[in-house]
Amino acid sequence: MLTGSIRGRWHLVTRIGQGGFGEIYIAHDRRTEQPVAIKFEKKSCQKEALKFEIEVLSQLQPSIFFPNFICSGCSKDFNYLVMDLHGPNLSSVRRHHRKRCFSITTTVKIGIEMILSIKEIHKIGFIHRDIKPSNFVLHHETTIKKLISKKKKKNDNLPTICLLDFGLARRYLDQEGKLLQPRGKVGFRGTTRYASLNSHLGIDLSRRDDIWSLLYLLVEFLKGELPWSQVKDRQLIFELKKKFNSVSLVKGLSIQFAKFYEYVKTLKFEDSIDYDYLISLLQKAVKEGKYKCDHSLDWDKS
Ligand code: ADP
């Protein structure tokens, strides 16, 4: 556990996250009197993924779908990234929620924001490669206030969530904007529960794989689980993903999710994504269900 302060400005308060490569702390900014989040990575870490993450996050600025980048630097032992503090991640929100699932209206609202955030990262030439609930966080009260004053927007036009963690991101376009050719066999990338079949098969990932992960995530939000939720072993999960590599994955959900599934299945390595089509499917899933027009989110009700 780290203590003290960074550059005499950010006083470390508590650790809120621990990931594959580093640790995330809440800190108090003595200059602005606002809380911030700081991600640390040990310098001894072989890959130094944080430097790359900082590069991607900087390129994504400014955007309401990603954390606001404040600064980055290094101390004797650590590289660090200072950014706006957000709320809890969607994995923990779901786990603490009744029945461990979200309503269709909440899932669609945040699902659309997820598609838009994936679209933005694709637009700058990167794929995320680790789309999962714990990489989406709710906007924090202070960031919402900042966004309102910056954008002078009404509260209900602001996004609910924000996408983070670009440590596994990868360029799919070269500097001239041309598609990079798929590499031969590659190692597994991502998080086993949400990784596409391509990742298990060692096939180089592309834009379609972010959408596969998103589909798994949406199914989990609506059903409360995936067929492989209780399984830890990667090979067994792979077998189950193959078994459910049909519309049976979305059985019991609106027909629009079958269309979503069928669309993702048609995507080839080089294909761009029809984000608008996917958004329209989600919107139809709500309309067809004749749900009451309810803008409040599940976690605001309980
Ligand atoms: P790693 O790359 O080490 O997995 P992440 O960037 O995914 O680390 O962060 C791990 C967790 O820390 C996230 O799931 C989230 O709960 C929390 N976290 C990270 N950044 C922030 C932030 N800016 N605001 C609030 N929580 C954050």
Side-chain angles (χ1 to χ4, degrees):
M1 177 97 172
L2 300 170
T3 52
S5 63
I6 303 295
R7 290 203 208 164
R9 174 173 171 185
W10 294 286
H11 177 71
L12 300 182
V13 179
T14 185
R15 186 169 61 195
I16 50 165
Q18 208 166 1
F21 304 108
E23 295 187 331
I24 292 94
Y25 283 74
I26 294 184
H28 175 74
D29 187 339
R30 290 182 172 136
R31 197 181 294 169
T32 62
E33 297 292 327
Q34 299 289 339
V36 294
I38 308 188
K39 185 167 181 174
F40 290 95
E41 177 193 67
K42 274 209 185 88
K43 272 188 169 165
S44 56
C45 176
Q46 267 183 346
K47 221 176 141 232
E48 299 219 356
L50 194 61
K51 281 190 185 155
F52 180 71
E53 172 157 10
I54 290 164
E55 189 192 315
V56 179
L57 183 61
S58 311
Q59 289 190 41
L60 286 165
Q61 304 290 303
S63 170
I64 47 175
F65 292 113
F66 305 97
N68 180 41
F69 170 82
I70 299 175
C71 91
S72 63
C74 52
S75 62
K76 195 161 113 313
D77 301 319
F78 296 96
N79 296 319
Y80 61 84
L81 157 65
V82 186
M83 57 191 147
D84 275 358
L85 175 71
H86 290 274
N89 71 55
L90 287 180
S91 169
S92 96
V93 176
R94 186 185 70 83
R95 275 183 285 111
H96 289 98
H97 201 66
R98 200 168 39 93
K99 290 197 206 153
R100 294 180 165 232
C101 59
F102 296 139
S103 66
I104 180 82
T105 45
T106 291
T107 305
V108 164
K109 182 171 187 328
I110 54 180
I112 291 172
E113 291 178 14
M114 287 171 172
I115 294 172
L116 293 173
S117 53
I118 294 171
K119 180 180 175 181
E120 282 205 25
I121 187 165
H122 289 177
K123 204 163 85 189
I124 64 152
F126 289 90
I127 46 174
H128 187 280
R129 301 201 303 174
D130 201 14
I131 294 295
K132 60 177 175 180
S134 62
N135 279 339
F136 287 98
V137 284
L138 296 182
H139 273 292
H140 192 268
E141 223 178 291
T142 36
T143 55
I144 286 282
K145 276 187 200 147
K146 262 202 243 169
L147 285 171
I148 294 171
S149 63
K150 260 194 207 158
K151 300 256 161 203
K152 297 199 169 45
K153 273 185 170 182
K154 277 206 260 140
N155 209 348
D156 55 358
N157 286 333
L158 290 168
T160 306
I161 52 157
C162 154
L163 172 59
L164 35 90
D165 194 1
F166 310 99
L168 283 185
R170 188 180 162 83
R171 274 200 169 282
Y172 74 95
L173 295 178
D174 67 15
Q175 303 292 351
E176 274 109 49
K178 272 198 1 238
L179 194 73
L180 292 166
Q181 289 308 301
R183 296 165 296 168
K185 191 134 175 99
V186 293
F188 180 90
R189 282 289 174 282
T191 299
T192 314
R193 186 183 289 183
Y194 306 98
S196 68
L197 274 171
N198 293 325
S199 193
H200 288 269
L201 290 164
I203 295 172
D204 207 5
L205 302 182
S206 67
R207 285 169 285 186
R208 62 179 173 177
D209 301 287
D210 283 343
I211 305 298
W212 270 116
S213 301
L214 175 73
L215 176 61
Y216 290 150
L217 170 161
L218 292 174
V219 172
E220 183 181 52
F221 279 3
L222 288 167
K223 295 191 176 192
E225 60 179 6
L226 284 160
W228 48 90
S229 288
Q230 306 304 325
V231 184
K232 290 266 177 290
D233 181 75
R234 186 181 291 162
Q235 185 59 29
L236 271 180
I237 291 180
F238 176 46
E239 298 303 328
L240 282 164
K241 280 183 189 162
K242 282 194 285 185
K243 186 173 163 201
F244 285 89
N245 193 22
S246 69
V247 282
S248 61
L249 176 74
V250 293
K251 201 171 157 210
L253 302 179
S254 154
I255 180 78
Q256 306 307 327
F257 287 93
K259 291 185 188 167
F260 197 123
Y261 170 83
E262 294 294 359
Y263 171 76
V264 186
K265 210 169 173 185
T266 63
L267 291 171
K268 295 192 278 302
F269 174 87
E270 63 278 10
D271 284 345
S272 53
I273 309 294
D274 190 346
Y275 309 96
D276 291 340
Y277 174 63
L278 295 177
I279 289 174
S280 77
L281 293 179
L282 294 186
Q283 286 168 333
K284 274 190 207 149
V286 171
K287 271 196 206 129
E288 279 173 7
K290 300 195 175 55
Y291 299 96
K292 267 192 268 156
C293 187
D294 179 0
H295 294 294
S296 58
L297 294 152
D298 292 350
W299 45 88
D300 293 333
K301 292 177 204 158
S302 50

